[in-house]
Amino acid sequence: MIASTLFAGRVTPKEQKIAWHDFAEKLWVKKDVAAAFNDHALKTYIQHNPATVSGRDASIRLLGSVIGQWTISIQHQAMEGDYSFIHWKVEGLDVPGFFPAARYHAVVDVFRWEGGCIAEHWDSIQAAPPVDRPNPLELI
């Protein structure tokens, strides 16, 4: 299914949550970037991450080239109205100039949905602190 034809027009909150969970399963569990984005993101997807440009195809190219090298564990996820978020841990993320090598990174992705499709994305990525630190609690 192509995102622009997956849901024609308005969707119910239940349909949107189903789409969100399907996107999350395809992207973070199955690591099938192309299926996740082609099925659930608008071609004009707006991307706020400075490591890439806007557009569904750009996200497919970038994530598709690296996600297979990552170990991912999902911590929290939810959807409310037209926004969804996922809080996850990634090991193996190393993008020189953007994300330095670390034991792991804690990531929060926020998505804005339009008509059952992802229209916009923001994220926050934080490198794990050193093992020797005042607060022994991990980010995740």
Side-chain angles (χ1 to χ4, degrees), residues 18 21 25 55 68 77 87 91 112 135:
I18 290 169
H21 289 290
E25 174 77 14
Q77 62 177 309
H87 180 214
E91 296 172 76
R112 181 178 61 80
N135 184 344

Side-chain angles (χ1 to χ4, degrees), residues 17 27 38 41-42 45 51 53 55 60 66 72-73 76 78 107 118 122 130 132-133:
K17 282 185 180 182
L27 183 59
N38 283 327
L42 296 174
Y45 169 82
V53 297
I60 292 170
V66 295
I72 295 170
S73 59
H76 310 96
V107 183
I118 298 170
W122 300 263
D132 182 22
R133 60 190 185 272

